[in-house]
């Protein structure tokens, strides 16, 4: 189960990469670091509300968790929009390499903000969810497979978020505008769509999902560190590529596949093989299906 | 006052000058065609009117507004809809969604939109049969119908049509031109860019001949079709 749950964080972050790539063909290198800052916002909010890093004994403070998640979602959403406005929009018509380098720059800025904010050592994230394993306590199984309350918590948040995103893209006016801009931004503009607004909205969505993922990650793993964005970002980016970058369903699928695979590698081959397993799969997929699992054939645009 | 008036427009691609002072007028209810060979600047002219390209000099007047000063995504709201070269439908969206995108800028009540959907289905029954189909899977002719239908969904006052005959079988070209005439008969003003000068002049009221970024001739379609130079250069006659 740890695989599926990890897959859920990865999928949420991967969606942020794929949404942005889908619409402006930019690999937003700073996205993982945005997620890292999200975990810090959660941590600070919880500390501010009086839930320190000690294990909670008085039950789960749902309201505080909700506040922390909303704070991280709003923070990450707005910060992503700000980064787009300052660092990417002015380079919209520049060669593709320029915004890419700008994204790497934003990534460095975020990492250093994180370093300045919470220091270089890993920070403990309060353990506020009940320790409850449905498998052993409800059914009496004591196998490798566990399904804890934490797993349930993460999935119960992540899956509705993904379904919500799918609905926004499929059915709302803004979602349709997003798809139109992704396919042909010049024609979208001819339809009367304000392309800049749609792109800003896409960054907002990606940031909000990263913010939500950050609370889940913190509560699940009970730690965070300023370099978290690099590892989490790399995995999520891999998931996005695995599923077919630019494809929203693909990113979600890629996240879960990647989470499961890394859990399986850790269980059966040992922790040191985790990244080997993950990236071997990536290489294999890219060799045999370069567009990713659900990738679009690129000839379609013409 | 003409509905649409292009005055002394100079448009560049980087340092290359594509339009060297193009002027033309479109009156309400007309079909005006712009003919010329490849690279003469026909598409550039339409793209300048639609706001995709910005001229370095000159104005594009629509009523009392200068379109060159209006943001590109607002131009459709001033009544100019563009069916571009190469159709450029949203291929990964359904036929219905493409038509909805055409009406994106509309703010009038849904009942009014429904009327325009019906009108488009009447003009192009084939589209109605394929509403849920992905637009990219349509045939070339159907895609062209969709591109025109999408532009009509904006309920424009001027319709800009760029090469609607491109890549179509002759029988479909006939059908598309017949439809353009029908749309015009219902009161739509059309500015038509065509390589197929013969077809274009057969349905237009007036025409302009564009050569390397300049208008070299302008007359009624009938006179143009009889003009010696036009016959030799664009109608393929000796």
């Amino acid at each position: 189960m740890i695989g599926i749950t990890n897959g859920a964080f990865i999928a949420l972050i991967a969606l942020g990469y794929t949404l942005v790539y889908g619409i402006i063909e930019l690999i937003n290198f700073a996205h993982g670091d945005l997620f890292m800052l999200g975990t810090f916002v959660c941590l600070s909010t919880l500390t501010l509300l009086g839930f320190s890093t000690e294990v909670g004994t008085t039950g789960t403070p749902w309201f505080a968790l909700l506040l922390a998640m909303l704070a991280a979602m709003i923070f990450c959403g707005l910060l992503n929009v700000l980064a787009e406005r300052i660092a990417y929009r002015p380079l919209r018509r520049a060669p593709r390499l320029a915004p890419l380098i700008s994204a790497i720059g934003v990534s460095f800025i975020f990492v250093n903000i994180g370093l300045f904010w919470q220091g270089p050592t890993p920070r403990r994230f309060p353990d506020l969810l009940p320790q409850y394993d449905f498998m052993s306590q409800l059914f009496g199984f004591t196998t490798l497979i566990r399904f804890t309350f934490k797993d349930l918590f993460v999935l119960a948040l992540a899956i509705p978020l993904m379904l919500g995103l799918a609905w926004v893209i499929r059915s709302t006016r803004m979602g349709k505008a997003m798809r139109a801009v992704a396919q042909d931004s010049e024609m979208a503009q001819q339809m009367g769509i304000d392309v800049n607004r749609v792109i800003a909205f896409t960054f907002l969505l990606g940031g909000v999902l990263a913010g939500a993922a950050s609370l889940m990650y913190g509560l699940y793993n009970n730690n965070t560190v300023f370099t978290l964005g690099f590892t989490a970002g790399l995995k999520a980016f891999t998931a996005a590529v695995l599923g077919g970058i630019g494809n929203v369903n693909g990113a979600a699928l890629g996240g879960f596949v990647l989470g499961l695979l890394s859990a399986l590698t850790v269980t059966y081959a040992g922790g040191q093989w985790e990244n080997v397993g993950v990236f071997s799969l990536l290489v294999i997929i890219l060799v045999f299906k370069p567009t990713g699992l659900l990738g679009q054939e690129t000839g379609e645009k013409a | 006052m003409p509905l649409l008036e292009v005055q002394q427009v100079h448009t560049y691609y980087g340092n290359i000058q594509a339009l060297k002072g193009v002027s033309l007028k479109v009156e309400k209810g007309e079909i005006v065609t712009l003919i010329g060979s490849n690279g003469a600047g026909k598409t550039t002219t339409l793209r300048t009117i639609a706001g995709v390209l910005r001229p370095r000099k000159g104005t594009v007047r629509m009523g009392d507004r200068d379109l060159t000063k209006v943001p590109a995504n607002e131009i459709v709201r001033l009544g100019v809809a563009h069916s571009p070269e190469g159709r450029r439908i949203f291929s990964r969206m359904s036929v219905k969604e493409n038509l909805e995108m055409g009406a994106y800028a509309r703010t009038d009540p849904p009942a009014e939109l429904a009327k325009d959907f019906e009108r488009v289905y009447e003009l192009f029954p084939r589209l109605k049969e394929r509403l849920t189909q992905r637009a990219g899977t349509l045939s070339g002719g159907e895609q062209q119908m969709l591109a025109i239908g999408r532009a009509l969904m904006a309920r424009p006052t001027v319709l800009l049509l760029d090469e609607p005959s491109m890549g179509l079988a002759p029988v479909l070209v006939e059908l598309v031109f017949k439809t353009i005439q029908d749309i015009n008969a219902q009161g739509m003003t059309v500015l038509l860019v065509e390589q197929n000068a013969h077809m274009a002049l057969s349905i237009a009221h007036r025409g302009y001949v564009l050569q390397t970024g300049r208008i070299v001739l302008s007359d009624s379609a009938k006179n143009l079709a009889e003009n010696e130079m036009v016959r030799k250069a664009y109608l393929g006659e000796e």
Side-chain angles (χ1 to χ4, degrees):
Chain A
M1 279 318 290
I2 193 171
I4 291 188
T5 311
N6 268 327
F9 316 128
I10 299 170
L12 285 178
I13 308 169
L15 284 167
Y17 278 104
T18 222
L19 282 171
V20 165
Y21 185 85
I23 212 150
I24 54 171
E25 301 194 354
L26 166 74
I27 308 284
N28 183 5
F29 275 111
H31 194 67
D33 305 300
L34 186 76
F35 162 75
M36 174 273 295
L37 288 179
T39 64
F40 286 3
V41 169
C42 289
L43 188 59
S44 295
T45 312
L46 289 174
T47 312
L48 208 70
L49 292 170
F51 299 98
S52 63
T53 54
E54 301 311 312
V55 175
T57 46
T58 52
T60 306
W62 292 112
F63 186 66
L65 292 185
L66 181 70
L67 273 185
M69 186 165 89
L70 288 179
M73 287 166 92
I74 293 168
F75 175 85
C76 290
L78 294 182
L79 187 61
N80 215 18
V81 172
L82 188 72
E84 191 273 329
R85 186 72 193 82
I86 294 175
Y88 310 139
R89 188 181 300 181
L91 300 172
R92 192 79 49 77
R93 284 168 200 284
R96 294 249 307 254
L97 202 56
L100 204 68
I101 291 170
S102 175
I104 295 172
V106 173
S107 165
F108 278 126
I109 293 171
F110 285 179
V111 168
N112 283 288
I113 290 174
L115 178 62
F116 181 75
W117 187 356
Q118 298 283 0
T121 51
R123 298 297 306 260
R124 184 157 169 71
F125 206 95
D127 195 359
L128 295 170
L129 291 175
Q131 305 289 334
Y132 191 85
D133 181 4
F134 292 101
M135 283 302 191
S136 62
Q137 267 147 314
L138 220 55
F139 305 114
F141 294 147
T142 47
T143 54
L144 269 174
I145 300 170
R146 288 184 305 147
F147 186 69
T148 65
F149 188 82
K150 284 183 175 178
D151 293 306
L152 179 70
F153 173 80
V154 169
L155 293 177
L157 276 176
I159 291 172
L161 276 172
M162 288 183 216
L163 294 177
L165 176 74
W167 175 79
V168 166
I169 293 174
R170 193 182 54 243
S171 305
T172 65
R173 184 174 159 84
M174 187 50 111
K176 285 177 187 171
M178 281 170 69
R179 284 188 286 149
V181 172
Q183 286 178 53
D184 188 336
S185 67
E186 193 179 286
M187 274 324 290
Q189 191 173 46
Q190 292 281 292
M191 302 291 117
I193 295 169
D194 183 342
V195 173
N196 279 332
R197 247 187 76 209
V198 171
I199 292 173
F201 181 78
T202 306
F203 275 83
L204 181 75
L205 272 186
V208 162
L209 293 176
S214 71
L215 178 85
M216 298 178 211
Y217 178 90
L219 289 174
Y220 196 74
N221 296 297
N222 300 118
N223 64 62
T224 176
V225 64
F226 78 102
T227 53
L228 175 68
F230 180 72
T231 42
L234 195 61
K235 264 196 186 168
F237 174 61
T238 307
V241 173
L242 192 66
I245 191 143
N247 181 308
V248 172
N249 299 328
L253 177 72
F256 285 112
V257 168
L258 201 92
L260 267 179
L261 183 81
S262 68
L264 289 175
T265 334
V266 171
T267 311
Y268 294 106
Q272 69 273 37
W273 292 99
E274 179 183 357
N275 288 339
V276 176
V278 166
F279 292 104
S280 304
L281 177 72
L282 179 70
V283 170
I284 291 167
I285 294 275
L286 288 184
V287 167
F288 291 104
K289 196 162 186 314
T291 52
L293 292 173
L294 301 181
Q296 305 279 352
E297 53 284 26
T298 38
E300 205 179 23
K301 205 165 186 176
Chain B
M1 193 169 68
L3 192 58
L4 179 73
E5 186 168 20
V6 176
Q7 281 173 323
Q8 283 303 314
V9 158
H10 296 251
T11 302
Y12 290 71
Y13 289 105
N15 284 323
I16 298 159
Q17 188 170 10
L19 299 184
K20 299 165 182 166
V22 168
S23 301
L24 60 88
K25 284 180 210 175
V26 182
E27 303 281 349
K28 190 165 171 17
E30 278 187 313
I31 299 180
V32 173
T33 186
L34 201 54
I35 58 176
S37 51
N38 259 337
K42 306 185 298 288
T43 294
T44 307
T45 306
L46 276 204
R47 285 163 65 82
T48 305
I49 297 170
V52 180
L53 298 170
R54 296 296 175 172
R56 251 185 230 181
K57 272 193 287 186
T59 57
V60 177
R61 296 219 155 267
M62 176 84 184
D64 55 354
R65 300 291 294 270
D66 180 359
L67 297 187
T68 63
K69 306 244 173 354
V70 174
N73 63 310
E74 292 297 330
I75 284 176
V76 65
R77 292 181 173 84
L78 297 176
V80 180
H82 182 200
S83 165
E85 186 179 23
R87 306 172 192 122
R88 297 184 57 181
I89 52 166
F90 300 110
S91 58
R92 292 199 296 271
M93 291 175 135
S94 70
V95 169
K96 181 85 192 282
E97 283 173 332
N98 266 275
L99 295 176
E100 286 170 2
M101 294 319 293
Y104 187 87
R106 301 263 300 263
T107 50
D108 42 351
E112 289 297 305
L113 281 186
K115 274 189 211 165
D116 286 329
F117 274 111
E118 279 312 314
R119 192 161 77 107
V120 170
Y121 299 156
E122 239 167 74
L123 286 167
F124 306 111
R126 295 273 280 280
L127 293 184
K128 194 178 182 180
E129 295 162 21
R130 287 166 167 62
L131 279 184
T132 56
Q133 200 172 318
R134 273 163 58 119
T137 65
L138 296 179
S139 72
E142 290 161 349
Q143 292 193 8
Q144 186 57 57
M145 295 173 193
L146 182 57
I148 297 174
R150 181 178 66 178
L152 287 176
M153 285 306 296
R155 196 181 275 188
T157 37
V158 181
L159 180 62
L160 309 179
L161 287 178
D162 200 342
E163 302 272 5
S165 75
M166 197 207 273
L168 298 187
V171 54
L172 280 172
V173 174
E174 296 266 354
L175 177 69
V176 165
F177 277 82
K178 173 80 177 54
T179 311
I180 296 169
Q181 264 185 316
D182 291 347
I183 297 167
N184 175 251
Q186 293 169 15
M188 180 69 64
T189 309
V190 178
L191 177 55
L192 169 69
V193 156
E194 257 302 334
Q195 287 236 35
N196 188 337
H198 180 72
M199 284 302 289
L201 290 174
S202 74
I203 66 163
H205 301 103
R206 290 190 302 115
Y208 292 87
V209 178
L210 203 55
Q211 224 170 53
T212 56
R214 286 192 180 87
I215 301 276
V216 292
L217 259 180
S218 104
D219 208 332
S220 71
K222 187 166 168 291
N223 287 347
L224 283 180
E226 286 163 2
N227 180 292
E228 182 105 3
M229 190 273 267
V230 174
R231 292 174 78 94
K232 275 193 176 157
Y234 305 111
L235 299 177
E237 291 172 25
E238 283 306 311

